[in-house]
Amino acid sequence: MSRTLRTPEDLLAERLVPPDAMADLRALSGRYAISVTPAVQARIQAPQDPVARQYIPDGAELLTAPHELDDPTADAPFTPIKGVVRRYPDRALLKPLLACPVYCRFCFRREHVGPDGGLLSEAELEAALGWFAANTDIREAILTGGDPLMLSPRRLGHMLDRLEALPHIELLRIHSRVPVADPARINPAMLAVLRREKPLYLCVHANHAQEFGPEANGALRGLTEAGVTLLGQSVLLAGVNDSVEALEALFREMLRHRIKPYYLHALDPAQGTSHFAVPDDRALAMLRALRGRITGLAWPNFVRESTGGAGKKPLGPSWEPGSEDFR
Ligand SMILES: *Cc1c(COP(=O)(O)O)cnc(C)c1O
Ligand code: SF4
């Protein structure tokens, strides 16, 4: 368990997939990258458990449902310059690379992410940073990708330095799977560049309490000690966290690590992901059952990315005046 698994053959050798799945997995592996880090492998207790299902490819990914899209978030019309997405007046995304520590089987950017994809060249990065400098109404720079914590501390530190130095940038934010999926990257050099003058919010992606192991605990502790504010981001996934008990355990686990649950995303209709879909009425019923049962600190915003590019829409549950029920 000392190296990252990247091929169907690697998964077979570790008995994470059965031999009769290999034909499907070989067909899939040309299209969607595979990565299972040692930290993730250590959290898998059984085939098809809530950790395995997130990262181990499955023949069901070969099926594309009619409503599934190449690019569910429709970022293209909101891209003023390569690597930047601006959909809101006060904040914009910077996507410095498209590599991730793991390749989630439900990823909404699965047609774009991959180990050799999308690193901005020096000139492209310079132009993107120039865009942030010129657009003085942007208050918050949000690094995403791919996963920004896959960058070397030196490169990431350079970007954060440049953004933080802009007088109009008040907030820095990073969205990352690394603290949970590849916690070894949160080493002292990385912690040193994440210690900032301006507030840095780190939105940690995790979907099940079982994903949090001892190394993740250490990484998250180091991040809070560096003054980083931790937020949680999860996706509601059939067979992973689609029960009241699993959601409660996930949000409570996050809070124990000083992570405030921020977003629970409804699945985006990326290709080959329909086996992860949870109907909205079931989702709302689960959330309704949670309300009041868990501390309000654990309560995330349940949202769906609208496919037309209109941004994240809250889905509820809502409370009608005059009614006792959440819906
Ligand atoms: C999600 C997203 C953001 C951040 O939105 P918040 O609601 O502030 O978390 C910003 N820009 C784009 C394009 C996004 O998709
Ligand atoms: S880490 Fe995020 S961007 Fe990367 S594969 Fe997983 S969901 Fe997609």
Side-chain angles (χ1 to χ4, degrees), residues 71 73-87 92-99 108-110 112-113 117-121 124-125 128-129 131-132 141-149 151 155-156 159 163 173-175:
D71 181 12
T73 57
D75 279 345
F78 302 92
T79 300
I81 187 169
K82 189 170 178 192
V84 174
V85 182
R86 183 198 199 163
R87 212 192 295 263
L93 309 182
L94 173 60
K95 301 199 282 187
L97 83 175
L98 292 172
F108 65 115
R109 292 193 185 126
R110 62 190 328 220
H112 307 287
V113 296
L119 185 67
L120 293 185
S121 69
E124 288 164 343
L125 178 62
L129 291 170
W131 183 91
F132 276 90
I142 305 174
L143 271 60
T144 178
D147 195 316
L149 297 188
L151 294 166
R155 283 182 93 111
L156 179 64
M159 282 174 214
L163 291 166
R173 194 197 314 182
I174 297 176
H175 283 248

Side-chain angles (χ1 to χ4, degrees), residues 158 165 170 215 217 260 271 317 320:
H158 168 73
E170 299 169 357
E215 288 173 75
N217 300 355
K260 164 74 186 90
Q271 295 192 3
E320 296 289 312

Side-chain angles (χ1 to χ4, degrees), residues 168-188:
H168 55 280
I169 294 293
E170 299 169 357
L171 304 174
L172 302 165
R173 194 197 314 182
I174 297 176
H175 283 248
S176 178
R177 196 75 151 126
V178 162
V180 168
D182 197 2
R185 287 184 184 272
I186 310 296
N187 57 25

Side-chain angles (χ1 to χ4, degrees), residues 280-293:
D280 280 354
D281 55 348
R282 262 197 69 217
L284 292 172
M286 286 187 280
L287 290 170
R288 199 162 51 225
L290 269 182
R291 186 84 224 194
R293 169 168 163 173

Side-chain angles (χ1 to χ4, degrees), residues 232-244:
Q233 173 184 358
S234 309
V235 185
L236 183 61
L237 298 166
V240 174
N241 57 15
D242 61 332
S243 70
V244 174

